[in-house]
Amino acid sequence: MRQRVAVIDFETNGASPGGDCRATEIGVAMVEDGRVVDRFQSLMNAGVWVPPMIERLTGISNAMLKSAPPADQVMLDAARFVGDAPLAAHNASFDRKFWDYELGLLGLVRRQDFACTLMLSRRLLPQAPDHKLGTLARWASLPDTGRAHRAMADAEMAAHLMALLSDTLRQEFHLPDIDHALLCKLQKVTAAKVKPYLRELQAAMTA
DNA sequence: TGCCAGGCCCTCTTTAGGGCCTT
């Protein structure tokens, strides 16, 4: 995939944004030609409390957030970094909620679609033991990106996974031009129908 | 008072429920 795609990952203090639930860290891996060509990462202080369970999960403590830059400034910088690049994330419905919410607080509206490496993995890698990001990375021997459950490491891991998914499409279905729009289209086809859909696509291209 | 996410997939489905996945 030659086009630039921004693969993002948020760490947060809860499951759904709003009220006391906010993003605490963002990582963005800018991918081009299957390679990470640029990175953006920052902790972000939204003035919220992180429960102990999530402190243990992410390694992001309340003390770390006290000295972190303000969330609004970080999100402005992140939005500038991403620009008009299409977006991707693992379980994009989660990161999309936080991206839209945090940008909404700044009066900004997302224009790009999100590709979801979780939905694509379920469709294209059904043989994997499960579809957690960490499991897929180990199962497919993806490059080590650092501590799991930190935003930059997880964003880069999802970027490697997206490259694997693109390679799978190229090798199994001989599709030469994998772009973000195709990934978004595939994730809307149900898991049971995606392989017949791809075979039809392949036949149409070789006809 | 009691509850507290939500989008998606699969199936023993569609007038539903349980599990996955993210933090």
Side-chain angles (χ1 to χ4, degrees):
Chain A
M1 182 154 44
R2 284 181 197 155
Q3 73 184 140
R4 287 164 74 89
V5 176
V7 184
I8 74 168
D9 185 77
F10 279 110
E11 303 307 314
T12 74
N13 70 337
S16 198
D20 293 332
C21 181
R22 297 285 299 277
T24 57
E25 187 180 45
I26 182 171
V28 186
M30 192 66 76
V31 176
E32 197 173 329
D33 247 343
R35 294 180 185 175
V36 177
V37 296
D38 208 353
R39 295 169 177 81
F40 176 92
Q41 67 172 319
S42 182
L43 291 167
M44 44 201 282
N45 183 2
V48 292
W49 177 75
V50 181
M53 186 275 286
I54 295 181
E55 277 192 338
R56 285 192 295 274
L57 177 70
T58 64
I60 298 170
S61 67
N62 287 290
M64 289 163 69
L65 292 182
K66 268 187 187 170
S67 56
D72 54 357
Q73 185 57 55
V74 173
M75 285 306 299
L76 272 178
D77 292 343
R80 283 196 199 102
F81 178 81
V82 168
D84 291 327
L87 294 157
H90 194 70
N91 197 11
S93 66
F94 178 87
D95 294 283
R96 186 179 58 224
K97 282 187 301 187
F98 281 91
W99 179 259
D100 289 353
Y101 182 82
E102 296 290 346
L103 286 190
L105 294 177
L106 303 171
L108 300 176
V109 176
R110 170 175 57 89
R111 293 190 298 274
Q112 313 95 311
D113 283 334
F114 265 90
C116 177
T117 54
L118 168 63
M119 293 176 66
L120 290 163
S121 297
R122 283 176 172 158
R123 284 155 176 71
L124 300 174
L125 307 171
Q127 69 275 32
D130 64 51
H131 297 89
K132 294 183 181 79
L133 183 58
T135 303
L136 289 166
R138 283 189 296 277
W139 174 75
S141 302
L142 298 181
D144 180 28
T145 58
R147 189 197 191 284
H149 296 299
R150 286 302 298 265
M152 194 65 241
D154 281 4
E156 282 202 57
M157 204 179 284
H160 291 311
L161 176 58
M162 189 172 68
L164 172 71
L165 291 163
S166 297
D167 287 344
T168 303
L169 285 169
R170 259 190 297 273
Q171 288 165 16
E172 280 192 29
F173 298 96
H174 309 291
L175 298 174
D177 297 318
I178 316 292
D179 64 7
H180 185 267
L182 175 63
L183 298 182
C184 288
K185 199 177 289 182
L186 288 181
Q187 70 196 23
K188 289 179 184 162
V189 179
T190 61
K193 291 181 181 170
V194 74
K195 294 213 170 178
Y197 175 85
L198 282 165
R199 281 193 287 272
E200 278 179 27
L201 204 59
Q202 182 186 356
M205 291 186 70
T206 54

